[in-house]
Amino acid sequence: MSTPPAFKRLPRAVREQQMLDAAVRVFSARGYHAASMDEIAEQAGISKPMVYAYLGTKEDLFIACLRREALRLIEAVTAAVGGAGDTADTDRPDEQLWRGLRAFFGFVGAHRDGWTVLYRQARGQPPFAGEVAELRARMAEAVAVLLGRAVAAAGRRVSEVDLDVMAYALVGASESLADWLTDHPDEDPERAATRMMNIAWLGADQLLRGATWHPAP
Amino acid sequence: MSTPPAFKRLPRAVREQQMLDAAVRVFSARGYHAASMDEIAEQAGISKPMVYAYLGTKEDLFIACLRREALRLIEAVTAAVGGAGDTADTDRPDEQLWRGLRAFFGFVGAHRDGWTVLYRQARGQPPFAGEVAELRARMAEAVAVLLGRAVAAAGRRVSEVDLDVMAYALVGASESLADWLTDHPDEDPERAATRMMNIAWLGADQLLRGATWHPAP
Amino acid sequence: MSTPPAFKRLPRAVREQQMLDAAVRVFSARGYHAASMDEIAEQAGISKPMVYAYLGTKEDLFIACLRREALRLIEAVTAAVGGAGDTADTDRPDEQLWRGLRAFFGFVGAHRDGWTVLYRQARGQPPFAGEVAELRARMAEAVAVLLGRAVAAAGRRVSEVDLDVMAYALVGASESLADWLTDHPDEDPERAATRMMNIAWLGADQLLRGATWHPAP
Amino acid sequence: MSTPPAFKRLPRAVREQQMLDAAVRVFSARGYHAASMDEIAEQAGISKPMVYAYLGTKEDLFIACLRREALRLIEAVTAAVGGAGDTADTDRPDEQLWRGLRAFFGFVGAHRDGWTVLYRQARGQPPFAGEVAELRARMAEAVAVLLGRAVAAAGRRVSEVDLDVMAYALVGASESLADWLTDHPDEDPERAATRMMNIAWLGADQLLRGATWHPAP
DNA sequence: AATGAATGAGGTTTCATTCAT
DNA sequence: TATGAATGAAACCTCATTCAT
């Protein structure tokens, strides 16, 4: 017992969510391998066979957790970026990026021991790396698009690869700050977003203006 | 008998290195949990009890691997940053940072499936997270110091926290690019370093000059 | 969906046959233990509880399959042996035996992956051995009776045990040829029956005439 | 210390035999599926992991049992058939066949709950059918060769297929009698062999002489 | 009548780890 | 020193079987 008593014979959809909740909790707390299906089932207030029946193998289950959380994150960010805004103002790329970051840090801050932890684990465990790589790629791609739009707006040209690299750097920096945020529970996600913007945007802005840095000859 | 054919009765130090080599190989290939002490011992050409006698438990062994590789990385970076240079020119913070990044990407590029993989794994596995966090902290601290020096040189003041955040962002971005580099074997590590500088330094530079970005009110 | 549309609310007898069909199919394909009640139910286009309600436990179900198929076999053979014939000619023991064999091989050939497979399995699995032994005994007994009649017709005497042994040998040889037939789908069951007769009857005939073989002293 | 208490640390070869002994015992008594690795290990006086280390998976273990027993049987029969004899007398095909049968029934009688039971089980269980089929084929082939030699000695010709069929029939009949023997513990294996010869040889002999049986037209 | 939901029980397998030689 | 032999413990997974709707 963990979730509300929620006694017996619930419809499948409900049970699945309960299981996923429990799984996220346990995976986060113990790590993928140390987590046992027994504990997950117990936490979900159900017997193991049901877990297998509904969500499949332990690996499947972890992936399901990962996907659910990733989806939520992506939805949050997407909504924030493309969201309500249709005034000229809200369409400025920097504003869009900022809204995205704010949503991102907000989400991470709100799921301090769910998403971030799963994500960290998945990156290292061979069977899940692919899943994560895909997610990262989607994020980076979205960022790259934003940056590209900004570039175009500034009337300049930057190679695809360069945009990609910048996007990955930005994603990495954000992840890093997300971790930092996870470890500093008192910090305000919104401030973190602003900080990130200050670093990222000013640099990007410079680049877009054609400034470059080169090692001394 | 000077250079032993590596047969038997090797001095302890040598054996330990062989074991660590094998362990790094196996941990990288299989992941911490999927790796078996059996395979590690076999790869090291030695029996399991020896592994336990010399390096202790599996967890100990992984940590030993992690430490050895981390040490190598840190040494490489440290040497590059503080290294030979004592002309005024080499002391410029940006040059130092760049040399550090170059060393970092060089190392990562040269240990594509050793360091990076261990590192990724360690981040997720609960028992090793601390070890990694410590390492990251050291890196970030070093970067923060560099940035701080640059700030001072520019005659400005930035709060500790801000420096920290910037440092973490930079470290994260670098890690992210390191991954990207690992996945793009044809890319030149040196170019990656330069790219990173272009993003990081220009932003940092702006910040140091007092420029800031703020969301539209 | 597997058997005909098999919609809803069928009379019990029909449902049972559908289940048995499915069960025979699955048991044959997977083997008793590897077969799962889930798959059987699915193949029968019905839910598991119905299977339990109608045919009982898994063991019961297997026995039911076995019995149904055995019954069919016995009916086919019996009909062929004792069947229509009442002319003097058809009453000759050899002709009777031959008709029986022909029916036997015909049945086996026509149920290549039903009967034979079940039968083979049942022989090995402890809980079903008895069932099979009984069936074999009935077959052997029938054969023994036939042989006995032939003996009597020849005006000779053979001990009960000897008749029994001959009958079991004949049954075994037939089973063996049945397997051989199952593995040689191009062979004609009728020819197999004739072959069997050539081996069996000539030997039996000799025996009945009092010929015997003895090891060299 | 005269009779080593057989306690601990036995060499691998010894332990393997102990395990196989135990496995044969348990598989025979319970049947493949009902047998548990736990019980086998316990019977062998060793812990489960050793069984897995030495003999592999449960399936492997069963096959190992099967092979060991089959090898013993084949060796016994082969030795008896081709064995010592080189006088003209012992070379007569019928004598050879008889010696083979005697060895066969002798072996079966002596391993009443080892070989026969394993064999029966293996025939039905899908994963082992192949192994058994191969063994049967070897037996049948050997018999066919013997029959062929007898045919040649009689100056006649019989098609390959016919020899094969006869051989399979003979093997099947022998198996059947072996079962019968297993169920009649008081019967003498040697008499069973003679009985089998009386049936088989007289029939074969007739066939070799050109006699045939045909259904009435 | 019919089924989705649910579970107790047990089996195979794999490890990290340690004796005893 | 070095290792073959040995094991306790636990994890994953599957299944036959039954409620409650």
Side-chain angles (χ1 to χ4, degrees), chain C residues 175-195:
Chain C
E175 286 169 1
S176 186
L177 279 193
D179 278 1
W180 182 87
L181 190 64
T182 301
D183 298 339
H184 293 74
D186 300 331
E187 287 288 328
D188 176 27
E190 182 131 357
R191 271 197 75 194
T194 307
R195 278 188 166 118

Side-chain angles (χ1 to χ4, degrees), chain C residues 11-86:
Chain C
R12 173 164 186 149
V14 176
R15 273 273 139 97
E16 279 186 348
Q17 291 308 312
Q18 290 180 352
M19 291 179 193
L20 288 175
D21 290 342
V24 169
R25 225 153 46 226
V26 175
F27 281 134
S28 291
R30 303 244 186 279
Y32 175 72
H33 251 99
S36 84
M37 295 298 271
D38 272 292
E39 186 177 359
I40 292 172
E42 189 199 86
Q43 282 273 329
I46 215 130
S47 76
K48 250 188 309 180
M50 287 304 294
V51 179
Y52 280 88
Y54 281 5
L55 276 334
T57 173
K58 187 184 185 184
E59 212 169 299
D60 294 343
L61 178 55
F62 187 80
I63 290 187
C65 292
L66 206 56
R67 290 225 174 101
R68 188 183 70 167
E69 302 298 311
L71 195 63
R72 289 179 177 173
L73 168 59
I74 289 177
E75 275 170 359
V77 174
T78 306
V81 170
D86 43 333

Side-chain angles (χ1 to χ4, degrees), chain A residues 101-193:
Chain A
L101 284 172
R102 193 177 51 176
F104 175 77
F105 286 107
F107 183 91
V108 168
H111 297 71
R112 274 195 165 83
D113 48 54
W115 165 251
T116 309
V117 182
L118 287 194
Y119 181 75
R120 274 207 268 232
Q121 293 191 18
R123 293 205 61 185
Q125 237 87 356
F128 312 121
E131 200 73 25
V132 168
E134 200 180 321
L135 170 66
R136 282 193 112 224
R138 281 168 70 182
M139 292 267 186
E141 181 54 25
V143 171
V145 166
L146 242 76
L147 294 178
R149 218 176 290 158
V151 168
R156 307 203 116 256
R157 274 202 57 79
V158 176
S159 79
E160 287 277 320
V161 180
D162 278 321
L163 280 180
D164 241 45
V165 166
M166 279 178 56
Y168 267 97
L170 214 153
V171 167
S174 301
E175 285 169 2
S176 187
L177 278 193
D179 279 1
W180 181 87
L181 189 64
T182 301
D183 298 340
H184 293 73
D186 301 331
E187 288 287 328
D188 176 27
E190 183 130 356
R191 274 198 72 194

Side-chain angles (χ1 to χ4, degrees), chain D residues 62-84:
Chain D
F62 188 81
I63 290 187
C65 292
L66 206 56
R67 290 225 175 104
R68 188 181 73 166
E69 302 299 311
L71 195 63
R72 288 179 175 173
L73 167 59
I74 289 178
E75 274 170 0
V77 173
T78 307
V81 169

Side-chain angles (χ1 to χ4, degrees), chain D residues 18 20 30 33 41 48 59 70 91 103 105 119 128 160 175 178-179 189 205 207-208:
Chain D
Q18 292 181 349
L20 288 175
R30 303 247 187 276
H33 248 98
K48 245 188 312 178
E59 209 171 301
D91 278 321
F105 285 108
Y119 181 74
F128 312 120
E160 287 277 319
E175 286 169 1
D179 278 1
D205 196 43
L207 271 180
L208 298 185

Side-chain angles (χ1 to χ4, degrees), chain D residues 33 52 58 60 65 67 84 88-89 93-94 96 99 108 121-122 128 138 145 149 169 184 197 202:
Chain D
H33 248 98
Y52 280 89
K58 188 183 184 184
D60 293 343
C65 292
R67 290 225 175 104
D89 194 55
D94 60 334
Q96 281 187 308
R99 288 205 310 273
V108 168
Q121 293 191 17
F128 312 120
R138 281 169 69 183
V145 166
R149 216 177 291 157
H184 293 73
M197 268 309 275
L202 295 178

Side-chain angles (χ1 to χ4, degrees), chain A residues 11-216:
Chain A
R12 176 169 186 150
V14 175
R15 274 277 134 94
E16 279 186 347
Q17 291 310 314
Q18 292 182 349
M19 291 177 191
L20 287 175
D21 291 342
V24 169
R25 226 150 49 223
V26 176
F27 281 135
S28 291
R30 302 248 186 277
Y32 175 73
H33 248 99
S36 88
M37 294 299 270
D38 270 294
E39 186 178 357
I40 291 173
E42 189 196 290
Q43 283 274 329
I46 210 121
S47 74
K48 242 188 314 177
M50 286 308 294
V51 181
Y52 280 90
Y54 283 176
L55 276 333
T57 188
K58 188 184 184 184
E59 210 171 300
D60 294 342
L61 177 56
F62 188 81
I63 290 187
C65 292
L66 207 55
R67 290 224 174 104
R68 189 183 70 168
E69 302 299 312
L71 195 63
R72 289 179 176 172
L73 167 58
I74 288 178
E75 274 170 0
V77 173
T78 306
V81 169
D86 43 334
T87 62
D89 195 53
T90 42
D91 279 323
R92 278 171 44 200
D94 59 335
E95 286 288 337
Q96 281 187 306
L97 179 58
W98 184 72
R99 290 204 310 273
L101 284 172
R102 193 177 51 176
F104 175 77
F105 286 107
F107 183 91
V108 168
H111 297 71
R112 274 195 165 83
D113 48 54
W115 165 251
T116 309
V117 182
L118 287 194
Y119 181 75
R120 274 207 268 232
Q121 293 191 18
R123 293 205 61 185
Q125 237 87 356
F128 312 121
E131 200 73 25
V132 168
E134 200 180 321
L135 170 66
R136 282 193 112 224
R138 281 168 70 182
M139 292 267 186
E141 181 54 25
V143 171
V145 166
L146 242 76
L147 294 178
R149 218 176 290 158
V151 168
R156 307 203 116 256
R157 274 202 57 79
V158 176
S159 79
E160 287 277 320
V161 180
D162 278 321
L163 280 180
D164 241 45
V165 166
M166 279 178 56
Y168 267 97
L170 214 153
V171 167
S174 301
E175 285 169 2
S176 187
L177 278 193
D179 279 1
W180 181 87
L181 189 64
T182 301
D183 298 340
H184 293 73
D186 301 331
E187 288 287 328
D188 176 27
E190 183 130 356
R191 274 198 72 194
T194 308
R195 278 188 166 118
M196 190 64 230
M197 268 310 274
N198 267 297
I199 300 163
W201 189 254
L202 295 179
D205 195 42
Q206 284 287 89
L207 272 180
L208 299 186
R209 289 175 204 283
T212 53
W213 180 96
H214 287 291

Side-chain angles (χ1 to χ4, degrees), chain C residues 85-117:
Chain C
D86 43 333
T87 63
D89 194 54
T90 41
D91 279 321
R92 275 172 46 200
D94 60 334
E95 286 289 336
Q96 282 187 307
L97 179 58
W98 183 72
R99 288 204 311 274
L101 284 172
R102 193 175 53 175
F104 174 77
F105 286 109
F107 183 90
V108 169
H111 296 72
R112 273 194 166 84
D113 46 51
W115 164 252
T116 309
V117 181

